[in-house]
Amino acid sequence: MKKFTFKIGGVHPNDSKISAEAAIEPLKISPKIYISMAQHLGAPANPVVAVGDEVRTGQIIGEPSAFMSCYVHSSVTGKVVSVGPYKDIAGREAIHVGIDVSPDGDVWADGIITDNSLDVKFPTDRQTLLDKIKACGIVGLGGATFPTHVKLCPPPGSVAECLIINGAECEPYLTSDYRLMVERPEEVLTGVAIIKCILGCRAVVGIEENKPKAIESMKKALESLSEKNSEFNDIDILTLKKKYPQGGEKQLIAAVLGREVASGALPISVGAVVQNVGTALAVYEAVQKNKPLIDNTITVTGQVSPSQKNYLTRVGTPYKDIIAAAGGLPDGNIKVISGGPMMGRAVSNLDATTLKGTGAVLMLSEEQTKRKPAQACISCGRCVDACPMGLEPFYLLRLSRAGMMDALEENAVQDCIECGCCLYSCPSSIALLDEIRLAKASVMKIIKSRPRK
């Protein structure tokens, strides 16, 4: 069987998929939930509830404030106790709606279907589907949390030729997408068919070779669904070679279609639209069950973690409650990361709560996270070989340290996807990613400040 991958750069870190056999289980709902209004790419939502209001599960509590914004819904039933600043994982303040959860359980908002029966018959009117996806606040769950209804509306003159579903889950430790493909393949594939219907193109689900159970589960489900419904006929399951960061949009497009997205261009420029496995499931639930994006699957893992879990978690759950449910923080100096070890973010505030796009809670020991002292660059070029975007990280570092913003832009620092391949491959232990990330932020700020033509 032929296996596909991208050609430029990439590394092969240890999989560490030690939570792969942990079936998804519902996490006990916390007594108090804090739901951020800034949990999608673009402008934060505007809260539309006030202190003292009673809310139901799935009820709108935040409305879009701009074109690039999303609805936010209550993930629980209870009473609003606060609307205002609350600190995120980095200690920064954002507007959250705090809710005291009712001890009597969920009372669902009108129209939401709560049974788990499979429904593969869906309306084919494009605008009806888009309206449902928008109303349910669906965002990309592959990391960027791009509003899905916006992404599924290519700009005028652009044509989607292929929908690519990201089932690579190439980041070490993460297994939530894997479990969705193993446990809920029919629903995921129905979501794929819905998105494909909106775009009017074929679809490919790319899964890395280290997930044979997921490949088998998805292929078996697709075969069964295709026999009953023609909407599933133009969907293929593609086996990918194991390589990081295969889940990056441009890398996945290169692997599946053999096409390169130019600097500054969007995937649609080469006829591709990329969505995540979790997003496909959320689309299914929005269209078939009228269910907003109020929960997602979160992996709790790490060699030092007391247990390995994949929890179905309500949006707005405190990190401390997730960790407590999995056995608590182990002894010693432990670093908690939201996400994986390559692209995740350190959690400095365990009172912070999960977002729609939270995918993992990773616990690492001091020994695993302690960096070696940085040495002088030996000009070996390994960071260049590893960069999946074809950049020269060592040169970008020099430009950054010299404060040469124009040169950084000319050398495409804005194309950096912050995957960490440069840091991972550097024999001198230079903090390439840290400094390049800061330089990229500065350059992007300059670019955004320019008058639009």
Side-chain angles (χ1 to χ4, degrees), residues 201-407:
C201 64
R202 68 188 181 98
V204 175
V205 183
I207 308 172
E208 285 197 328
E209 60 189 340
N210 62 341
K211 303 172 183 65
K213 285 186 179 179
I215 295 170
E216 179 184 4
S217 174
M218 293 286 281
K219 284 186 173 180
K220 185 176 179 180
L222 180 59
E223 183 179 355
S224 175
L225 291 167
S226 298
E227 292 175 354
K228 304 170 186 175
N229 193 324
S230 61
E231 294 293 343
F232 295 88
N233 289 345
D234 288 335
I235 301 174
D236 294 306
I237 310 297
L238 192 69
T239 301
L240 307 172
K241 292 181 181 178
K242 185 177 76 70
K243 193 178 183 183
Y244 176 84
Q246 192 124 239
E249 275 196 329
K250 294 184 178 181
Q251 288 67 44
L252 195 57
I253 291 167
V256 173
L257 299 179
R259 301 175 185 177
E260 299 294 333
V261 181
S263 174
L266 296 172
I268 193 64
S269 66
V270 295
V273 174
V274 180
Q275 294 286 359
N276 174 263
V277 163
T279 310
L281 176 62
V283 165
Y284 165 82
E285 293 184 327
V287 172
Q288 303 297 78
K289 305 292 184 179
N290 298 317
K291 180 185 173 185
L293 183 48
I294 60 168
D295 55 25
N296 58 347
T297 304
I298 294 177
T299 301
V300 184
T301 186
Q303 273 87 359
V304 297
S305 177
S307 61
Q308 304 299 317
K309 298 289 185 179
N310 286 292
Y311 283 130
L312 182 62
T313 310
R314 300 292 177 103
V315 172
T317 299
Y319 279 83
K320 64 181 180 183
D321 292 354
I322 299 172
I323 292 170
L329 279 176
D331 295 334
N333 294 323
I334 303 299
K335 185 172 185 177
V336 178
I337 296 174
S338 179
M342 302 294 284
M343 297 186 74
R345 301 283 177 154
V347 180
S348 61
N349 170 31
L350 293 179
D351 288 322
T353 60
T354 62
L355 308 175
K356 294 178 181 180
T358 303
V361 178
L362 173 62
M363 289 176 256
L364 299 176
S365 66
E366 182 179 16
E367 182 180 355
Q368 288 176 295
T369 59
K370 188 175 182 179
R371 289 186 179 178
K372 297 177 182 178
Q375 306 295 319
C377 175
I378 59 174
S379 301
C380 65
R382 291 185 189 177
C383 61
V384 178
D385 292 339
C387 180
M389 295 302 296
L391 305 177
E392 297 180 309
F394 77 95
Y395 186 51
L396 295 177
L397 179 67
R398 292 177 187 176
L399 295 175
S400 174
R401 289 177 173 176
M404 301 175 68
M405 294 295 112
D406 290 343

Side-chain angles (χ1 to χ4, degrees), residues 41-43 68 146 409 414 418 440-453:
L41 188 69
M68 188 69 74
F146 199 101
E409 183 178 351
Q414 62 274 16
E418 303 179 26
K440 173 188 172 182
S442 297
V443 170
M444 291 301 295
K445 188 175 181 180
I446 293 170
I447 292 173
K448 291 178 180 179
S449 69
R450 293 172 184 156
R452 292 187 178 182
K453 295 181 181 179

Side-chain angles (χ1 to χ4, degrees), residues 71-107:
Y71 283 100
V72 178
H73 302 75
S74 176
S75 61
V76 293
T77 296
K79 178 181 285 188
V80 176
V81 293
S82 64
V83 178
Y86 187 81
K87 291 183 178 179
D88 64 13
I89 61 172
R92 297 181 296 250
E93 290 189 337
I95 300 301
H96 287 65
V97 172
I99 302 170
D100 273 345
V101 179
S102 169
D104 298 327
D106 291 312
V107 177

Side-chain angles (χ1 to χ4, degrees), residues 15-261:
D15 288 352
S16 300
K17 304 287 190 180
I18 54 180
S19 57
E21 297 308 312
I24 299 170
E25 55 183 290
L27 179 68
K28 182 181 178 181
I29 300 175
S30 297
K32 184 169 285 188
I33 294 285
Y34 288 91
I35 302 174
S36 174
M37 297 292 105
Q39 55 178 316
H40 46 259
L41 188 69
N46 288 327
V48 292
V49 291
V51 173
D53 287 352
E54 299 283 347
V55 294
R56 294 184 291 171
T57 307
Q59 176 182 328
I60 292 172
I61 59 173
E63 293 184 341
S65 61
F67 171 73
M68 188 69 74
S69 188
C70 269
Y71 283 100
V72 178
H73 302 75
S74 176
S75 61
V76 293
T77 296
K79 178 181 285 188
V80 176
V81 293
S82 64
V83 178
Y86 187 81
K87 291 183 178 179
D88 64 13
I89 61 172
R92 297 181 296 250
E93 290 189 337
I95 300 301
H96 287 65
V97 172
I99 302 170
D100 273 345
V101 179
S102 169
D104 298 327
D106 291 312
V107 177
W108 291 84
D110 294 340
I112 298 175
I113 301 170
T114 58
D115 69 69
N116 293 322
S117 61
L118 178 66
D119 183 3
V120 300
K121 298 289 185 180
F122 54 87
T124 56
D125 177 70
R126 181 175 182 272
Q127 195 57 52
T128 297
L129 297 174
L130 284 170
D131 288 345
K132 281 200 169 192
I133 290 168
K134 179 179 180 180
C136 288
I138 309 303
V139 302
L141 300 181
T145 60
F146 199 101
T148 301
H149 68 279
V150 176
K151 196 171 187 178
L152 297 184
C153 293
S158 301
V159 178
E161 298 175 31
C162 184
L163 165 67
I164 302 176
I165 300 297
N166 176 14
E169 200 165 45
C170 59
E171 179 101 6
Y173 289 101
L174 276 57
T175 59
S176 56
D177 286 348
Y178 169 75
R179 293 310 310 180
L180 291 179
M181 292 186 285
V182 169
E183 298 182 38
R184 305 180 70 180
E186 294 88 358
E187 293 152 291
V188 169
L189 286 166
T190 304
V192 175
I194 292 168
I195 301 171
K196 180 176 74 73
C197 180
I198 293 171
L199 295 172
C201 64
R202 68 188 181 98
V204 175
V205 183
I207 308 172
E208 285 197 328
E209 60 189 340
N210 62 341
K211 303 172 183 65
K213 285 186 179 179
I215 295 170
E216 179 184 4
S217 174
M218 293 286 281
K219 284 186 173 180
K220 185 176 179 180
L222 180 59
E223 183 179 355
S224 175
L225 291 167
S226 298
E227 292 175 354
K228 304 170 186 175
N229 193 324
S230 61
E231 294 293 343
F232 295 88
N233 289 345
D234 288 335
I235 301 174
D236 294 306
I237 310 297
L238 192 69
T239 301
L240 307 172
K241 292 181 181 178
K242 185 177 76 70
K243 193 178 183 183
Y244 176 84
Q246 192 124 239
E249 275 196 329
K250 294 184 178 181
Q251 288 67 44
L252 195 57
I253 291 167
V256 173
L257 299 179
R259 301 175 185 177
E260 299 294 333
V261 181

